[in-house]
Amino acid sequence: MTLGLVFNVQRYSVQDGPGIRTTVFLKGCPLRCWWCHNPESQDPGPFVHYDPARCLRCGECVDACPRGALSLTGAGVVTDPGRCDRTGTCAEACPAEARTLVGRSASAGDLVDEVESDRLYFEQSGGGVTFSGGEPLLQWRFLAEALAECGKREIHRAVDTSGFAPPEILLEVARETDLFLYDLKCMDPALHRQVTGVPLEPILDNLVRLGEAGSRVEVRIPLVPGITTDAHIERSAEFLAPLPGIQGVRLLPFHRSAREKHRRFALPWLMVRDDEIPGPTVERWADAFRRRGMRVHEE
C-alpha cells in the first residue's frame, strides 16, 4: 500500500472537468510558475503554516511540540526549522487555528472512500473525481492506485497535469485515466523555462504521446498578463489542431489572489504585471482555436 500526501479536497467543483466534481490536490510540484495559484503545493512534504495575526500567544503549541522546536517571543511563536518534524502536533494543539498542517497522509482506499461520499452529485451531473496539485504525477504510484480504485467503483477519473514527467510514468497513469486536463503554459521555450523553471519540449512530446495512446485530453491555457501573447496563442493553436484526442481548449483567467497566497507562504512574487486581460483580447485568442475547428471554453 502506497501512502499519498494530500493538501486539500475540494467538493462541488465545476471547473475541473465535466459535471460536479471532487478535486483532490496532491503535494509536490517540479514547476515554479511565477503566477502559481497553489504555491503551498510546491513543497513535496508537509509543513506547518503559521498565521501570526490569529495567534493568541497562549503557548499551547510550544508546550505540545515534542521536539522543543517552538519558542514564544514578543513577535509571536518562532520555529527552529532544524528541530521541526512537520507532524503538525502544534497545529492540533492551537485553539485559534493560527497553525495549520499543509499536507496529510492518506491511503488510496481511504481517500477514495472520502471521494465516494459525493457519488450522488457525480451521478446527477455526470461528474467524478479530479486529481490535481501541485503536480499529481510526482506521486504517480499513489495516483495510479487511487485511479484504479476509482475505476473499480465506476467513478469518472480526471488528472490535471503539467505533463512534465517521464513518458513511461505518464502512460502508466493514462491507463487508469478517463480524461486529462493538460496545462500548456507558454510556447516560447526560453520564456517557458524562465517562468516555470522547466523545459517546454518534454511537455509537448508527452502531449503527442497521449494522443497517440488514445487518451482524451482537454488542453488548459492560463492567460497570464505579460506572458501570454498573440504569438503564443497562434503557436498553441497550430500545434494542437492536428493532434488526436484533443477534446477542446479551456482558457483560464489569471487571479490576483495568487499574489496574496505567495505572501502568506513567504514565497517570492515575480510577476511584473497583474492586470486583467481585456475581454476582446480573450475573444480574439479564442477565435484562433475556433478557426481551426477546436472547441473553446472560457471561464
Side-chain angles (χ1 to χ4, degrees):
M1 179 180 65
T2 304
L3 292 179
L5 197 60
V6 179
F7 77 92
N8 190 22
V9 176
Q10 179 178 309
R11 291 184 161 79
Y12 210 83
S13 173
V14 295
Q15 297 178 338
D16 294 324
I20 297 172
R21 310 190 71 80
T22 297
T23 303
V24 176
F25 293 89
L26 301 183
K27 283 277 281 165
C29 186
L31 279 69
R32 294 295 182 267
C33 300
W34 288 5
W35 59 91
C36 180
H37 293 164
N38 293 319
E40 70 273 33
S41 72
Q42 295 175 2
D43 188 329
F47 66 89
V48 176
H49 175 246
Y50 172 56
D51 182 356
R54 298 179 66 97
C55 183
L56 302 176
R57 313 303 200 263
C58 64
E60 292 290 335
C61 59
V62 176
D63 294 338
C65 179
R67 297 175 61 91
L70 305 180
S71 57
L72 184 59
T73 72
V77 178
V78 176
T79 302
D80 180 346
R83 291 187 174 186
C84 180
D85 59 8
R86 298 188 174 198
T87 59
T89 304
C90 58
E92 294 175 5
C94 179
E97 298 184 352
R99 305 182 74 84
T100 53
L101 181 64
V102 182
R104 61 179 173 91
S105 294
S107 69
D110 288 345
L111 180 62
V112 178
D113 286 345
E114 185 177 349
V115 167
E116 194 171 24
S117 65
D118 296 330
R119 177 180 288 277
L120 180 62
Y121 297 112
F122 304 157
E123 292 176 346
Q124 291 179 342
S125 68
V129 62
T130 298
F131 290 90
S132 185
E135 172 48 68
L137 295 177
L138 208 60
Q139 298 188 52
W140 72 271
R141 288 187 176 85
F142 172 74
L143 175 63
E145 286 185 22
L147 289 168
E149 184 63 29
C150 288
K152 292 175 185 176
R153 305 189 197 192
E154 299 184 343
I155 298 173
H156 182 271
R157 306 157 297 179
V159 173
D160 186 358
T161 178
S162 69
F164 187 73
E168 61 273 15
I169 286 177
L170 180 67
L171 295 178
E172 178 73 22
V173 169
R175 285 194 275 269
E176 298 289 349
T177 301
D178 300 306
L179 175 68
F180 280 96
L181 309 178
Y182 201 99
D183 296 343
L184 195 56
K185 302 174 189 296
C186 175
M187 289 294 283
D188 180 298
L191 183 59
H192 188 280
R193 185 182 284 274
Q194 178 185 357
V195 301
T196 71
V198 302
L200 171 64
E201 291 79 3
I203 292 171
L204 299 182
D205 291 345
N206 276 340
L207 183 52
V208 173
R209 288 186 179 95
L210 282 181
E212 293 173 345
S215 294
R216 299 175 70 249
V217 182
E218 177 186 279
V219 174
R220 303 189 139 202
I221 298 178
L223 305 182
V224 185
I227 294 174
T228 308
T229 64
D230 288 351
H232 161 60
I233 294 297
E234 287 294 333
R235 290 177 65 182
S236 298
E238 291 172 4
F239 178 79
L240 295 172
L243 296 185
I246 304 297
Q247 305 299 298
V249 174
R250 187 172 297 270
L251 303 181
L252 303 177
F254 173 80
H255 295 293
R256 289 193 178 102
S257 60
R259 178 200 287 266
E260 173 59 19
K261 290 192 78 173
H262 278 72
R263 185 198 65 78
R264 282 174 51 205
F265 292 102
L267 295 170
W269 179 251
L270 301 176
M271 292 290 295
V272 176
R273 293 170 49 188
D274 64 358
D275 51 306
E276 293 185 7
I277 294 175
T281 300
V282 176
E283 191 60 26
R284 185 176 75 248
W285 289 345
D287 283 341
F289 297 99
R290 295 190 184 109
R291 289 197 308 271
R292 294 168 171 87
M294 305 182 70
R295 292 181 57 196
V296 179
H297 310 277
E298 301 173 48
E299 295 184 8

